[in-house]
Amino acid sequence: MRAAAAFVADLIEHNALQSTDRIRVVLRGSLAATGEGHGTPGAVVAGLQGHEPATCHPAVVRNAWGKAKATGAITVAGRIVGLDGIQFRPREPHPRHPNAVDFTAYAEAGQALLQRTYLSVGGGFIELAAAQQNSSDAAPQNLPYPFRSFVDLQVVCQQARASIAEVVAANEMAVGRDPRSDALMIWAAMEDCMRLGRQPGPDILPGGLQVRRRAPGLADRLSDAADFSAAVARIQLDAMAVNEENALGNRVVTAPTNGAAGILPAVIAHYVRSAPVAHAADGVTTMLLTATALGAIIKTNASISGAQVGCQGEVGSACAMAAGALCAAFGGSVAQVGKAAEMGLEHHLGLTCDPVGGLVQVPCIERNAIAAVTAVQAATLTLSEGHHTHLVSFDTAVETMRRVGADMHDKYKETSLGGLAVSVVEC
């Protein structure tokens, strides 16, 4: 959706929209292989039509592709433009990234007016393929506390006598953001997603696999339970509620991706249930700001894209972010945050991205539930052990994840060509 919107903005900037008769879209690599299952065509059309992910009604995205196919035309910035369908080329990836989409605008006479290729690098971030420098390689500008690694972050925190959350908040304020307000807005969206996911609705998730929704029934069974098992199950419930909402095509918060969107909300909800009410908002803010730093380090030095490094980059990253964030909210030191995050990532190294049917359902929904509990365990174990150093550092785990991702066969990286994606079909 963001890539399509960026293309329209470029058309307008180059005064090419008024001459545009039709637009052609080509999905490449993993975007094509799992495009239908991920709802990508609808997102492309909605983006061309001017919709934004954070504000549009999810039904608009779900219905956009069907309407465009039926009419062969869409409205782009007030102008009716032909749409040459959407081509899927899973075996023709872009050399820089397995997730790529081409947009080309043509005049009525057939000449190309503007062509752009965007790379989807994970978590809703896009880059122009023509750019010589990857944005993640560029040092942050005009920030009071720049950092690229966890070692950098530790030094910054020590020198500033600040927590990770305070460092991130200062950087956010330096670029004109209100970190507390932004964090609580994100948390409100996460809460809405969990609440809606627990409510009755469709019994079966769309896509043809006949996967049943489990969160509403589990919510009913846990309504009066108060033992240890129920406490664990509530974490799993919240994670599954979010991912079932994602499977329904409803709104989720990328944390750091849609496929791993249930882990951080579930762990924050666990914290809110555990913490004094008066401190809950402060703890939520601390968790989201701390998770931001950890996710940024992973994205800078490895990847959060399942198409690039497998699910270790999605669920593994989310587990690390949630573990470190929970540790911070419960008073853990900077070193302990790194230790908890490392545990969360280390035990997901090598995790493949092999969604059955290209749908973010099997194994993704259960995987979020299990990883959310793992994140809580990592934070709990870290705090229980005190200030003992860990043999493996967070930076080492991130670098290992990058190397494992480079070694991983492409069929295990969001292509639906290997692993469970084919084993279930064969059975």
Side-chain angles (χ1 to χ4, degrees):
M1 201 185 300
R2 287 178 171 166
F7 180 67
V8 172
D10 249 7
L11 279 175
I12 295 172
E13 182 179 344
H14 288 79
N15 298 313
L17 180 59
Q18 293 305 312
S19 303
T20 298
D21 177 70
R22 57 192 174 88
I23 293 174
R24 185 185 68 178
V25 181
V26 179
L27 299 174
R28 298 187 179 277
S30 293
L31 275 189
T34 61
E36 291 279 6
H38 282 56
T40 307
V44 166
V45 174
L48 291 172
Q49 292 174 325
H51 297 288
E52 297 181 357
T55 56
C56 73
H57 195 287
V60 170
V61 184
R62 289 195 293 269
N63 299 328
W65 174 226
K67 290 182 178 179
K69 283 196 295 185
T71 63
I74 57 174
T75 301
V76 179
R79 177 180 173 80
I80 298 177
V81 174
L83 183 65
D84 276 2
I86 295 179
Q87 299 180 24
F88 296 80
R89 298 182 183 175
R91 299 189 182 277
E92 298 178 28
H94 191 276
R96 273 193 59 199
H97 199 280
N99 277 338
V101 54
D102 303 332
F103 294 91
T104 308
Y106 294 94
E108 187 174 3
Q111 71 269 31
L113 298 172
L114 188 71
Q115 193 280 329
R116 292 287 185 270
T117 296
Y118 298 92
L119 309 178
S120 173
V121 297
F125 295 98
I126 59 169
E127 297 174 7
L128 262 176
Q132 293 301 305
Q133 185 181 42
N134 187 307
S135 64
S136 65
D137 293 332
Q141 300 298 315
N142 302 318
L143 297 181
Y145 301 117
F147 59 88
R148 289 179 56 87
S149 67
F150 194 78
V151 167
D152 292 345
L153 182 57
Q154 283 182 295
V155 171
V156 165
C157 290
Q158 184 177 16
Q159 291 176 343
R161 296 184 178 180
S163 68
I164 294 173
E166 289 167 340
V167 164
V168 174
N171 286 343
E172 291 287 308
M173 288 187 284
V175 295
R177 303 300 308 183
D178 181 341
R180 181 179 175 86
S181 175
D182 287 351
L184 294 180
M185 179 181 66
I186 290 170
W187 172 236
M190 289 177 168
E191 280 192 302
D192 283 344
C193 187
M194 288 184 285
R195 175 180 54 81
L196 293 170
R198 291 190 292 261
Q199 292 178 354
D203 292 328
I204 301 297
L205 297 173
L209 294 179
Q210 297 298 301
V211 175
R212 62 183 177 88
R213 282 181 73 215
R214 295 152 70 179
L218 183 56
D220 286 342
R221 290 190 292 276
L222 291 174
S223 60
D224 297 322
D227 58 5
F228 173 78
S229 296
V232 173
R234 283 192 178 91
I235 300 169
Q236 297 171 324
L237 162 64
D238 288 335
M240 288 196 294
V242 171
N243 281 82
E244 288 178 352
E245 282 292 285
N246 183 52
L248 287 167
N250 293 330
R251 195 185 323 279
V252 299
V253 178
T254 56
T257 63
N258 277 30
I263 297 164
L264 189 56
V267 175
I268 296 177
H270 169 73
Y271 165 79
V272 171
R273 288 191 294 269
S274 307
V277 174
H279 299 146
D282 291 338
V284 168
T285 302
T286 293
M287 289 186 72
L288 285 169
L289 292 173
T290 303
T292 295
L294 298 170
I297 289 169
I298 295 170
K299 183 173 181 290
T300 298
N301 297 288
S303 175
I304 58 171
S305 169
Q308 198 166 24
V309 295
C311 199
Q312 59 175 354
E314 297 198 31
V315 164
S317 296
C319 185
M321 292 162 63
L326 183 62
C327 182
F330 280 139
S333 66
V334 174
Q336 286 177 315
V337 168
K339 181 178 178 180
E342 189 280 329
M343 280 192 212
L345 182 58
E346 177 184 352
H347 300 295
H348 288 91
L349 291 176
L351 190 62
T352 57
C353 184
D354 49 357
V356 176
L359 300 163
V360 193
Q361 297 180 16
V362 179
C364 315
I365 296 171
E366 283 184 0
R367 186 170 284 177
N368 273 250
I370 301 302
V373 175
T374 299
V376 174
Q377 291 175 321
T380 302
L381 180 58
T382 296
L383 292 169
S384 299
E385 286 190 322
H387 295 279
H388 294 287
T389 57
H390 217 208
L391 183 62
V392 180
S393 71
F394 181 57
D395 287 336
T396 298
V398 172
E399 171 60 16
T400 302
M401 190 252 278
R402 185 192 66 79
R403 292 178 180 176
V404 171
D407 291 340
M408 189 180 292
H409 196 290
D410 286 347
K411 69 182 180 180
Y412 299 119
K413 294 191 282 191
E414 205 177 43
T415 61
S416 289
L417 296 175
L420 286 175
V422 296
S423 299
V424 171
V425 175
E426 289 172 354
C427 293

